[in-house]
Amino acid sequence: MKIGQVSGLKLGKATRDAFGAALVELGEQFPEVVVVDGDVGNSTRTEKFAKKFPDRAFNVGIAESNMVSIAGGLAACGKTPVVASFACFLLCNAYDQIRMSVAFPRLNVKLVGSHAGISIGEDGPSQMGIEDVALACSFPGMTVMVPADAAATAKATEAMLRHQGPTYLRLGRAAVPEIYPNGCDFQIGKAIQLRDGSDATIIANGLMVAVALDAAKLLADQGIQVRVLDMHTVKPIDRDAIAKAARETGAIVVAEEHAPYGGLGSVVATTVTQTVPVPVELVNIGDRYAESGDPDGLLEKYGLSAEAIVRAVQNVRQT
Amino acid sequence: MSEAANELSIDQLKEKAKVLRRHIVRMTTEAGSGHPSSSLSAVEVVTALFFGGLMRHDPNNPTWPDRDRFILSKGHAVPVLYAALAEAGYFPVDDLMTLRKLGSPLEGHPNMTRLPGIEASTGSLGQGLSIGIGHALACRLDGRDARVFVMIGDGEMDEGQVWEAFAAAHKYQLGNLTAVIDQNGFQQTGATKDVLDLTPLENKIEAFGWHVQSVDGNDLEVVLEALRTARSITDRPTAIVCRTRKGAGTVLEEQGDVNFHGKPLPPDAAEKALSLLV
Ligand SMILES: Cc1ncc(C[n+]2csc(CCOP(=O)(O)OP(=O)(O)O)c2C)c(N)n1
Ligand SMILES: [Mg+2]
């Protein structure tokens, strides 16, 4: 089953493609933007920018540590470096460089991790970023964004360039359904309500927003009306939207394409505890690495299906 | 360049080096912690840069975009940098005695968000040369005639990222970048040749396409000359391997054992060291 089919969503572009297109389009308007690449520009899609603005793009080879610290130096001189690699290589390989060359000195570096999650499919677990959101959130002062579709990604890219300070933008490899065919009102730190209901709330980001909408449709067929929130910004989290959802719907399910600790689920659960404590269920890939396979099969096998969310909603309503 | 600095004679510069040494010993002894031996080996290079007219900088305008940069990649040696910044007029000399104290911007390792004149927050070894490349690329993009100096420890050269940076600087032919390696022969747990022997450094760095000089890094006149030569090379990155003595100019340099890394002198030994530094 393809994601978004139940709720009749049209398949759109991959978020990495939307990012690459947006970046090159914004290149003139943001003359301080430069790209730093670690030999994956054709995967992260920064190559479009590099072609149009060759003087403003640096490919430093397969050397993520060097790549991130160079970006720190560029930012210290007033540039707005966009550093893109696979989510796993960027966050895991260069974690200390992000800490020391970017986050601690509060430099205006834009980290972009593509190929996040298990939906990259056949290349397998070594290429899947499933820890990246937790790692990114762990840095004091880091803004962390996980857009759901192409339109949201284009807006997130612009918001990221306008924002002053270190940011992380998480992108996927695969084409995803259009959540916002008519454009997206993307504001950093502000959740978007896609559907209302009073029986529970599903909070999701990235491609799990489409899966959440599918689940909401299946639940509606059973007479359960759920609210769906696109929590595209994990940090700073939208406390108000979460507290409101907890108060008005009494139960929350969080769905993300990530490992269970430190990602959106952890952040939402903490926020619920601190605001309006209600039962919370988490849908994620579990405390394990996935495997190679086709993306849809993987999402199904590793617990990221609409059915998994439906079960979580049923469970959380019984707690 | 700061005006007064240009006019210092070699004797005055040598006196300045002594002043920095005194500050380093005093401030670390007062703090009761820190890395005086790592700071002392670097005194001649820092003196030459800040007071020998080899670095354009303005204490009254620390973020002047056209300034030359000094990035201390071996951040634990920051007392030498604090001493130079204070002597150059970035902040009052008295502040040196607040080293490592709560509320003081003179932290145990450099924090660029708290102290004007600090170009990079370092302390996790291995990152400074890459940060320097970022500065060098940005200056080139903006058409600024600024030079970036990065000081690296010889133990720090163990970090793979340093070699990634050598390769990248060569790719971009960064003629505005100079790496100064403080080859004092020791790292934290012992002699560099025993921990991880990378000598000879010169031919390795040369093989990365850099211009390389090898000099006595505690001889001020030699250091001045080497830095002048580095400044004159603009078609590729330059490195100066400075053979130095860890703890140079104090009793520390004679200890030569593991215990002299990251250990301040006790007050009585510090008094004695200071009395010998006249
Ligand atoms: C990434 C990292 N690992 C370990 C340390 C701990 N450490 C601090 S100083 C030092 C030795 C440095 O030796 P060297 O670069 O030769 O500098 P020196 O003190 O001799 O000038 C070590 C291992 C560190 N600061 N950063
Ligand atoms: Mg050493």
Side-chain angles (χ1 to χ4, degrees):
Chain A
M1 163 83 72
K2 290 269 179 207
I3 65 173
Q5 223 170 52
V6 172
S7 40
L9 299 174
K10 240 181 69 195
L11 192 65
K13 283 197 292 187
T15 52
R16 62 171 170 152
D17 287 317
F19 156 74
L23 190 65
V24 72
E25 211 158 284
L26 294 162
E28 305 273 9
Q29 197 188 332
F30 292 86
E32 298 307 333
V33 168
V34 295
V35 158
V36 192
D37 174 28
D39 196 35
V40 288
N42 50 351
S43 299
T44 62
R45 307 304 200 219
T46 55
E47 71 174 353
K48 285 192 174 160
F49 183 96
K51 282 215 178 87
K52 177 141 184 227
F53 306 101
D55 297 344
R56 290 161 57 189
F58 307 102
N59 181 356
V60 300
I62 313 159
E64 291 75 17
S65 311
N66 194 34
M67 170 180 81
V68 167
S69 296
I70 288 176
L74 284 159
C77 295
K79 300 291 166 202
T80 308
V82 175
V83 190
S85 181
F86 284 30
C88 56
F89 307 139
L90 180 61
L91 267 302
C92 301
N93 201 313
Y95 185 80
D96 187 44
Q97 285 71 22
I98 298 174
R99 180 179 75 100
M100 282 301 299
S101 299
V102 177
F104 171 47
R106 298 197 295 268
L107 289 166
N108 194 29
V109 173
K110 310 305 173 187
L111 304 164
V112 180
S114 72
H115 294 63
I118 63 174
S119 56
I120 67 156
E122 291 77 2
D123 273 346
S126 71
Q127 318 295 301
M128 294 170 175
I130 61 166
E131 313 90 341
D132 58 313
V133 175
L135 295 175
C137 284
S138 69
F139 297 109
M142 183 73 68
T143 293
V144 179
M145 291 170 279
V146 186
D149 78 347
T153 301
K155 289 297 191 69
T157 303
E158 183 172 350
M160 162 182 98
L161 298 184
R162 286 192 192 288
H163 179 84
Q164 277 299 315
T167 63
Y168 174 57
L169 178 68
R170 183 188 215 223
L171 305 173
R173 173 183 184 275
V176 286
E178 288 179 358
I179 309 293
Y180 303 102
N182 306 314
C184 173
D185 178 21
F186 186 101
Q187 290 171 51
I188 292 176
K190 212 136 182 43
I192 300 172
Q193 184 172 314
L194 292 168
R195 185 176 173 126
D196 204 6
S198 55
D199 296 332
T201 298
I202 306 172
I203 296 177
N205 64 18
L207 64 64
M208 292 309 288
V209 171
V211 185
L213 289 171
D214 285 351
K217 178 79 176 16
L218 296 174
L219 287 160
D221 295 343
Q222 302 173 16
I224 300 170
Q225 300 300 336
V226 296
R227 179 177 298 182
V228 175
L229 293 180
D230 174 1
M231 196 63 73
H232 52 69
T233 308
V234 184
K235 191 181 167 190
I237 195 77
D238 188 343
R239 283 171 75 93
D240 293 345
I242 293 172
K244 188 162 181 278
R247 201 179 309 114
E248 294 174 1
T249 72
I252 288 176
V253 168
V254 189
E256 62 182 325
E257 193 188 5
H258 192 270
Y261 297 93
L264 182 65
S266 294
V267 177
V268 170
T270 308
T271 308
V272 169
T273 317
Q274 291 168 339
T275 53
V276 182
V278 298
V280 174
E281 277 276 333
L282 304 181
V283 172
N284 50 56
I285 66 182
D287 193 27
R288 57 186 167 172
Y289 288 95
E291 63 192 281
S292 285
D294 68 285
D296 289 313
L298 278 168
L299 292 173
E300 180 79 35
K301 181 166 177 182
Y302 286 87
L304 300 184
S305 61
E307 290 70 24
I309 297 180
V310 167
R311 278 195 301 279
V313 169
Q314 289 162 344
N315 286 342
V316 81
R317 276 165 44 81
Q318 276 156 25
T319 359
Chain B
M1 312 217 185
S2 43
E3 302 275 318
N6 275 333
E7 291 157 20
L8 291 190
S9 67
I10 184 70
D11 286 339
Q12 288 172 312
L13 282 172
K14 284 183 177 161
E15 182 50 36
K16 190 62 94 178
K18 277 187 197 156
V19 170
L20 297 194
R21 288 206 154 84
R22 275 185 220 120
H23 286 320
I24 291 165
V25 170
R26 282 207 185 101
M27 66 200 289
T28 51
T29 294
E30 164 71 18
S33 67
H35 300 75
S37 60
S38 309
S39 308
L40 289 161
S41 59
V43 163
E44 277 69 24
V45 171
V46 171
T47 302
L49 283 172
F50 278 83
F51 307 103
L54 281 151
M55 207 171 71
R56 256 178 321 191
H57 66 115
D58 181 358
N60 297 314
N61 188 7
T63 58
W64 175 36
D66 289 318
R67 73 194 181 283
D68 294 332
R69 278 93 162 142
F70 176 70
I71 292 170
L72 185 64
S73 190
K74 43 170 259 184
H76 58 284
V78 73
V80 67
L81 180 52
Y82 292 152
L85 291 173
E87 283 294 322
Y90 284 80
F91 54 81
V93 168
D94 285 350
D95 288 3
L96 291 173
M97 290 303 136
T98 67
L99 174 71
R100 292 176 165 248
K101 295 200 168 122
L102 195 61
S104 170
L106 278 67
E107 298 200 29
H109 292 79
N111 182 343
M112 65 181 282
T113 66
R114 292 189 68 193
L115 192 66
I118 298 291
E119 297 285 0
S121 298
T122 53
S124 181
L125 294 166
Q127 304 189 22
L129 190 57
S130 308
I131 294 171
I133 291 175
H135 280 263
L137 287 170
C139 289
R140 177 189 281 178
L141 269 179
D142 292 343
R144 299 186 193 287
D145 174 30
R147 180 166 287 268
V148 183
F149 297 92
V150 181
M151 175 173 275
I152 309 167
D154 53 350
E156 184 179 10
M157 300 284 283
D158 299 354
E159 286 283 358
Q161 184 179 354
V162 177
W163 301 93
E164 296 179 0
F166 278 125
H170 166 66
K171 169 176 176 176
Y172 292 104
Q173 292 291 298
L174 292 174
N176 54 352
L177 180 67
T178 296
V180 180
I181 295 125
D182 185 9
Q183 192 182 42
N184 56 27
F186 289 90
Q187 48 199 99
Q188 182 165 323
T189 55
T192 299
K193 69 173 168 21
D194 297 329
V195 178
L196 185 65
D197 191 4
L198 293 168
T199 56
L201 286 172
E202 290 81 357
N203 59 8
K204 294 188 180 68
I205 302 170
E206 232 156 32
F208 278 75
W210 285 53
H211 175 274
V212 181
Q213 302 176 74
S214 184
V215 304
D216 178 344
N218 289 132
D219 182 327
L220 192 53
E221 276 155 282
V222 168
V223 169
L224 285 163
E225 191 49 43
L227 287 167
R228 267 184 223 117
T229 302
R231 282 206 77 103
S232 73
I233 289 157
T234 54
D235 62 341
R236 65 203 147 124
T238 59
I240 308 174
V241 179
C242 289
R243 291 182 306 276
T244 58
R245 303 184 311 278
K246 197 155 173 168
T250 69
V251 289
L252 284 166
E253 71 173 286
E254 281 124 46
Q255 293 188 358
D257 65 17
V258 181
N259 287 325
F260 83 146
H261 176 86
K263 295 281 189 322
L265 284 166
D268 50 335
E271 274 316 311
K272 193 157 168 241
L274 289 170
S275 70
L276 295 173
L277 264 174
V278 279

